[in-house]
Amino acid sequence: MTDGPRNAPTQKHKILEPCILKHAMKVLVIDIGGTHIKVASTDNKVPIKIPSGPTLTAKQMVDDVLEATKGWDYDRISIGYPGPVNHDAPKVEPHNLGHGWTDFNYKAALGKPYRFINDAAMQALGGYKGGRMLFLGTGTGLGSTIIFDGTIIPLELAHLPYKKGRTYEEYIGLAGLQLRGKRRWRKSVLDIIARLQAALVCDYVLLGGGNAKLMGDLPAGIILGANSNAIQGGIKLWATPTATPPRLR
């Protein structure tokens, strides 16, 4: 078992006040992506990058991270996973990585208390400024989360139909960028943002992920996420006043 009650899709995750961060433990943050695993910590804020890819397994991820962070000082672990999360573990196998993620023994392999969170939700948590915010992460795939007045709600919008029999992810994920070029990709990103912002009644949109920097000037109501958002979100995940962890809806 991991430390404290488990995160589940039906639970709420209420963000705590920033002052609590002063008393946070030292956290190792693992942000798993389709191209790289980014690893940082409370004491090492600049992430190191470890190659990932379509054959990466959970065991290989853990082995590579522990090898790369030998000598680091931390007592808790946050893991941003590119897919749905339930009971502090992946709920389904990832689309862009290898197999064996849902039944891996993370407790035995990691050796310290850990929490899983959807990777988009972790980035959203790190960049949240209040109110009702939609986060979209345009990297290898498409991550999505909404934070509604402090409650984090991970979404799975990537594989919903968009146009011409293709999904949102096929248009504005990495494959869509490579296939259609920057100009048409940017147009699709803005169109999808407008549709989702209207449908979800959001105050603003935080646009993150590795390809967000390609957007150039953004209209009002859309904020470009910082590279540090995922790391800050992973640290905030443990910023609780007691042993009771924050909960996901």
Side-chain angles (χ1 to χ4, degrees):
M1 292 179 62
T2 54
D3 183 74
R6 294 172 170 181
N7 294 342
T10 56
Q11 295 177 322
K12 293 182 179 180
H13 181 153
K14 196 70 175 179
I15 296 173
L16 297 162
E17 293 299 322
C19 62
I20 296 171
L21 290 174
K22 294 185 297 184
H23 309 291
M25 299 178 181
K26 293 189 176 183
V27 182
L28 178 71
V29 182
I30 305 170
D31 182 20
I32 304 170
T35 305
H36 292 96
I37 307 164
K38 295 180 182 179
V39 186
S41 71
T42 304
D43 295 332
N44 300 274
K45 296 289 178 62
V46 178
I48 60 173
K49 290 184 178 181
I50 301 169
S52 61
T55 62
L56 182 74
T57 64
K59 182 181 185 305
Q60 182 182 346
M61 180 276 293
V62 171
D63 289 347
D64 289 350
V65 167
L66 294 182
E67 177 65 25
T69 58
K70 281 183 177 179
W72 289 26
D73 183 20
Y74 60 92
D75 40 36
R76 296 291 185 269
I77 302 172
S78 294
I79 305 171
Y81 176 75
V85 170
N86 192 13
H87 298 308
D88 271 325
K91 185 177 181 181
V92 299
E93 296 292 334
H95 287 278
N96 300 312
L97 302 173
H99 296 288
W101 292 81
T102 57
D103 56 2
F104 184 72
N105 189 340
Y106 295 96
K107 179 183 178 182
L110 292 170
K112 293 186 179 182
Y114 64 89
R115 293 177 184 167
F116 267 89
I117 184 173
N118 173 265
D119 60 342
M122 189 163 75
Q123 290 186 59
L125 176 59
Y128 180 61
K129 304 300 182 185
R132 303 178 184 183
M133 183 193 81
L134 171 65
F135 171 83
L136 292 177
T138 57
T140 305
L142 176 65
S144 54
T145 292
I146 189 169
I147 304 186
F148 189 93
D149 293 339
T151 297
I152 300 177
I153 307 171
L155 304 174
E156 288 296 324
L157 302 177
H159 304 290
L160 294 179
Y162 176 47
K163 288 181 179 180
K164 300 179 181 180
R166 294 182 179 179
T167 65
Y168 287 126
E169 181 173 277
E170 287 176 308
Y171 265 80
I172 64 172
L174 179 60
L177 172 62
Q178 293 173 337
L179 178 66
R180 303 175 65 242
K182 289 182 184 179
R183 185 182 63 83
R184 291 198 293 169
W185 177 83
R186 288 173 181 145
K187 184 177 179 181
S188 294
V189 170
L190 293 177
D191 179 62
I192 288 171
I193 287 175
R195 292 173 184 236
L196 294 176
Q197 188 170 14
L200 297 171
V201 196
C202 298
D203 299 326
Y204 60 103
V205 175
L206 179 67
L207 183 63
N211 295 325
K213 61 183 179 291
L214 302 177
M215 285 299 296
D217 293 336
L218 293 169
I222 305 176
I223 301 170
L224 187 65
N227 291 333
S228 61
N229 284 162
I231 305 307
Q232 292 300 323
I235 293 171
K236 284 184 181 180
L237 193 61
W238 287 93
T240 59
T242 66
T244 303
R247 294 180 175 181
L248 291 168
R249 181 181 173 87

